[in-house]
Amino acid sequence: MATECRLDPRLQIMTETVEGLIPGAAPAALSISVTEKLTGPGERSNSWTGSPAGLAEKLFTALYGRPDTGERLSPLAQAEDAKRARDIGAEIAALQRGHADLTTAPWYPARPGDLVHVHYEAGGLSQAFGETYRITAGIDGFLSMQLLCHTLPEDTEFLDSMVGCFAVDDDPDPLMELWFEAGPHRLTVVRDGRPVHAGGA
């Protein structure tokens, strides 16, 4: 739980606010109890007891979704997780959030001359590797994204199906598919020699 608090300041603030209900109390010694008294014969009740951090996490999840546990998922992977959980609201929210994160970035939209690097973790078919794409002006007024280079050895099995899959010609938004599938945390966008998006940082 402590790791999650450090990763998202909103969760940290919620936790500290709940802990602050008793000024000067030691957080490790605090617990929260919520009791529902039921009407009718007898002294019946339902209750929930937990830590301030547990309550903060429940509130955070209700407002923002699950706290960041360090595992970064692409918008598409988040939507697929929600779909498997049969939570259509969370599925739609993940896709909308991914779109908004891209389209509201201060460096958006892509421009001719931008370099886009994507990092892939080691997996079942290959070692960790990277690809670099170059944004160019397309023929019909949109943008193209061409594979410039990759770091996989040339003798890698299935090389042709593993590299260059995000190259596009004349696309109104050449970064969209890469942003959604690989995820912004795997991308670095360089403009005029300076990184304008460093997702892995």
Side-chain angles (χ1 to χ4, degrees), residues 2-114:
T3 302
E4 292 172 354
C5 287
R6 283 196 298 271
L7 288 174
D8 196 305
R10 297 171 298 180
L11 182 55
Q12 181 69 39
I13 290 166
M14 287 182 180
T15 303
E16 290 172 356
T17 300
V18 175
E19 290 170 350
L21 292 172
I22 301 176
L30 290 174
S31 68
I32 305 289
S33 295
V34 178
T35 304
E36 173 194 26
K37 294 203 185 248
L38 302 172
T39 57
E43 294 292 319
R44 298 180 308 139
S45 66
N46 293 320
S47 65
W48 175 88
T49 303
S51 66
L55 175 61
E57 184 173 337
K58 285 184 178 296
L59 294 171
F60 184 96
T61 301
L63 291 169
Y64 308 111
R66 288 184 311 197
D68 184 356
T69 59
E71 180 185 11
R72 311 276 310 265
L73 297 176
S74 70
L76 187 59
Q78 292 173 38
E80 288 171 350
D81 278 356
K83 186 174 185 177
R84 278 191 290 277
R86 297 184 179 183
D87 186 345
I88 192 164
E91 181 182 357
I92 292 168
L95 296 172
Q96 289 175 329
R97 188 171 49 249
H99 182 268
D101 287 347
L102 174 60
T103 58
T104 61
W107 50 268
Y108 179 88
R111 297 181 193 162
D114 287 354

Side-chain angles (χ1 to χ4, degrees), residues 101-192:
D101 287 347
L102 174 60
T103 58
T104 61
W107 50 268
Y108 179 88
R111 297 181 193 162
D114 287 354
L115 296 176
V116 182
H117 180 80
V118 58
H119 169 77
Y120 300 98
E121 303 295 335
L125 294 176
S126 77
Q127 62 196 30
F129 73 100
E131 293 179 308
T132 302
Y133 292 88
R134 179 178 58 168
I135 304 289
T136 60
I139 296 170
D140 294 324
F142 293 118
L143 295 173
S144 296
M145 189 164 69
Q146 303 165 339
L147 179 67
L148 199 57
C149 62
H150 64 83
T151 60
L152 271 178
E154 291 302 321
D155 61 352
T156 301
E157 193 174 4
F158 307 117
L159 178 70
D160 290 341
S161 63
M162 294 176 66
V163 299
C165 61
F166 292 109
V168 293
D169 289 319
D170 271 321
D171 192 301
D173 203 335
L175 291 178
M176 190 68 70
E177 185 178 9
L178 182 57
W179 185 271
F180 268 81
E181 289 194 23
H185 60 289
R186 290 199 175 107
L187 303 182
T188 301
V189 180
V190 176
R191 176 171 295 156
D192 300 329

